[in-house]
Amino acid sequence: MFTLEKAGFRLPEKTLLHAIDMRFEGAGVHGLIGHNGSGKSTLLKLLAGQLSPTSGRVCFEGRPIGQWDRRRFARRVAYLPQQLPPSEHLTVQELVRFGRYPWLGLLGRAGARDEAEVERALALTRTQAYRHRRVDTLSGGERQRVWLAMLLAQNSQFLLLDEPLAALDIAHQIEVLELIRRLSRELGLGIMLVLHDINLAARYCDRLVALHGGRAIAAGTPGDIMSPGCLRAIYGVDVSMVAHPVLGIPVALVN
């Protein structure tokens, strides 16, 4: 779906992302990993069309993202930023209805199909019980599920999530990641998310892309990435690998 051709982004005083050649395609969960300031959020914003590359091209389905009609692009790709828009005075159902914006007609009137998509999104995220509650009364994990419901109501095939686990405790982090993986499997979605915990990334992602200093330095399955040498190059720390006592998957421990 996405193709980066020597794509980079720089500010006058600093290069945030050096030229990257890469493809992201098909269903599955793709994790962006790397140290703070490595370029993960910048890369995600380029894919979402929130930033335009200062060099090279970023294409979706073979066409530069800047040439897409914004509403047609939003029907295919949904983006959730790290800093969520204000929603204090909205009910859950009102927020999820905003996901239908790219599909509404000239007068912006929702119809039966739109309401059906809202109900479907609430059911998929198991948030029906919250529909009449204000968003700001929800817990962090509940709120994140509601925002995911809004993206699902948008009916896009690719979801871009910038640090969806920020400020969540470990129980809610696992709850959200379980939901993301289930949605990808059941709906055939491509989901790309920025993650900081390498062990959670390896457990829940199908593929990982690692950035360091604004450069993509590794990409592959969790099995390809979870090695002391690769993690040393990504994070600059020495780690040891042990097998998870239940799942048997590799777990990284800082030495």
Side-chain angles (χ1 to χ4, degrees), residues 170-206:
I170 184 61
H172 285 113
Q173 288 180 15
I174 292 173
E175 177 187 37
V176 169
L177 286 172
E178 292 278 3
L179 174 60
I180 287 171
R181 184 168 63 180
R182 177 171 63 82
L183 293 173
S184 176
R185 300 288 192 272
E186 291 181 1
L187 305 179
L189 299 177
I191 302 178
M192 183 175 296
L193 64 161
V194 173
L195 291 171
H196 284 289
D197 188 314
I198 182 59
N199 290 317
L200 288 178
R203 178 171 175 175
Y204 288 100
C205 295
D206 299 302

Side-chain angles (χ1 to χ4, degrees), residues 24-45:
F24 298 102
E25 55 186 331
V29 181
H30 307 259
L32 292 178
I33 61 173
H35 61 85
N36 288 342
S38 61
K40 302 184 297 297
S41 292
T42 300
L43 175 56
L44 204 69
K45 288 176 181 177

Side-chain angles (χ1 to χ4, degrees), residues 41-162:
S41 292
T42 300
L43 175 56
L44 204 69
K45 288 176 181 177
L46 289 176
L47 297 176
Q50 300 295 306
L51 293 175
S52 298
T54 55
S55 61
R57 300 200 311 167
V58 181
C59 298
F60 179 70
E61 295 187 345
R63 184 191 312 173
I65 290 177
Q67 295 180 12
W68 277 82
D69 172 80
R70 296 308 302 168
R71 185 169 292 190
R72 290 179 63 86
F73 184 72
R75 292 178 181 180
R76 306 300 305 281
V77 179
Y79 169 65
L80 192 65
Q82 181 179 348
Q83 298 298 325
L84 297 175
S87 58
E88 293 84 358
H89 304 296
L90 295 173
T91 67
V92 166
Q93 189 159 310
E94 288 169 338
L95 177 62
V96 176
R97 279 178 179 150
F98 277 121
R100 296 304 299 162
Y101 169 76
W103 299 91
L104 296 181
L106 183 61
L107 300 179
R109 295 178 179 174
R113 168 69 185 276
D114 301 296
E115 292 303 324
E117 290 292 345
V118 169
E119 289 302 316
R120 169 179 171 269
L122 291 169
L124 285 167
T125 54
R126 298 167 186 166
T127 52
Q128 304 101 310
Y130 312 142
R131 69 171 70 243
H132 298 305
R133 288 181 57 182
R134 280 176 32 177
V135 175
D136 62 341
T137 67
L138 302 176
S139 71
E142 292 167 345
R143 192 178 301 122
Q144 203 67 12
R145 284 161 56 198
V146 166
W147 280 99
L148 284 171
M150 188 199 73
L151 298 190
L152 293 176
Q154 195 169 323
N155 208 22
S156 303
Q157 288 300 301
F158 213 100
L159 310 185
L160 306 174
L161 313 175
D162 195 351

